[in-house]
Amino acid sequence: MEKIVVEGGHPLHGNVRINGSKNAALPIMAACILVNGKSRIKNVPYLTDVKTLSEILSDLGVKTKRLKDGTIELEVQDESNVTAPYEQVSTMRGSICVLGPLIGKRGEAKVAEPGGCVIGVRPVDLHIKGLEALGARIITEKGYIIGSANGLRGTEIYLGGPHGSTVTGTCNVMTAAVLAKGKTVIKCAACEPEVQDLANFLNKAGAKISGIGTSELVIEGVKELHGVEYEIIPDRIEAGTFMIAGAITGGEITLENVRLDHMTAVVEKLVESGVSVSNVGEKCFVKGNDEFRPLTITTLPYPGMPTDMQAQFAALLSIANGTSIITEKIFPNRFIHIAELNRMGADIHIEGTSAIVKGVRKLSGAQVMASDLRASACLVIAGLVAEGTTEIHRLYHLDRGYEKLEERLSALGAKISRVEV
């Protein structure tokens, strides 16, 4: 077991390069199940989730090889296995993205219902609804989603749910539809940059997808896909995390490999709070200050505020000059980190699906426990500005989504280290 130890009070300065997007890399890697020949996926972050999916794909007959420059080579060599077992799938929700490619290419799939972070119920009913509309037969049995198809056929599918469109559901239906006969129209499709990245990858491999970036995707089925070289987009959540880390310490940092056009809501709220954000090309300059203004934030589907940035903003607003309100519209129960922030001296209480954040003068270092991936980042950020020392436990959450976070923060001047418990 390991923990991260942070000594607060050290402003961040310097340059940091943002890695490729985890949430784009996973469905693109899974989509290689559909491809004939070798694909080279560049800018793939080295994360626990990526490693786990590589193991799942290997079991499914996809040879994966990671090169030193962050490129992963993938090539299907055996299509006989269609089972993604519980032992692997239970550790990461993103592994559900193999379901659509398996049914679309091999006509069968047996995928364990996914695990991942404890941030509330995230059903896969819309995935199943979409695949069944294409002609798949799906049952759930003993914790597995079991699907079969005798050739999928294009149709019109509505993927809206109670909290908006489904990102991984859109990915699964899109990957299943690219080899289906005829035209598929996905209405209320997710518009997130990661969904766009998957669609662009598929098109480069020979698919015919239009409407990318809108809520209506049109997919003309093709007979086959071919191997390609493709570079993953930068991770907008990692970028936002570093922005808040630099700002909260009163530091001044430069982020390289950033797409601010994917981060409009995040940048708008940072500026509103008093953070200076500017950019030249794919470089972003962030400067914090000594006092932050309170905010009203509501998480929404893209291009709204990402739910994956909610916890990091909670850390920033915990020391803002006034009362902020954070409303969670995507995962209403995603506030487990609030109790740990309060252990550090924050003054936050929950009212329904909102967190009421009364800014305090300072946070104090404490021993805290990470409950999920983004909560881990939130606690690291809080530790950077807290008086004294903060110890963060359960690092396996952090390692699912951030590559060597403590080393990269240390290079910016943070007093932070990973130690054995």
Side-chain angles (χ1 to χ4, degrees), residues 34 99-109 127-138 147-155 157 172-184 219-222:
L34 299 163
L99 181 63
L102 284 174
I103 293 177
K105 183 66 160 62
R106 304 183 188 179
E108 290 183 273
H127 303 235
I128 293 172
K129 171 188 172 184
L131 293 171
E132 287 180 334
L134 290 169
R137 297 172 296 281
I138 305 222
S148 61
N150 234 352
L152 299 178
R153 293 189 176 276
T155 187
I157 304 166
N172 259 328
V173 176
M174 177 165 48
T175 51
V178 292
L179 297 180
K181 290 182 179 179
K183 180 171 75 173
T184 299
I219 305 158
E220 297 282 354
V222 298

Side-chain angles (χ1 to χ4, degrees), residues 150-168:
N150 234 352
L152 299 178
R153 293 189 176 276
T155 187
E156 187 171 295
I157 304 166
Y158 177 76
L159 284 184
H163 302 296
S165 52
T166 164
V167 173
T168 51

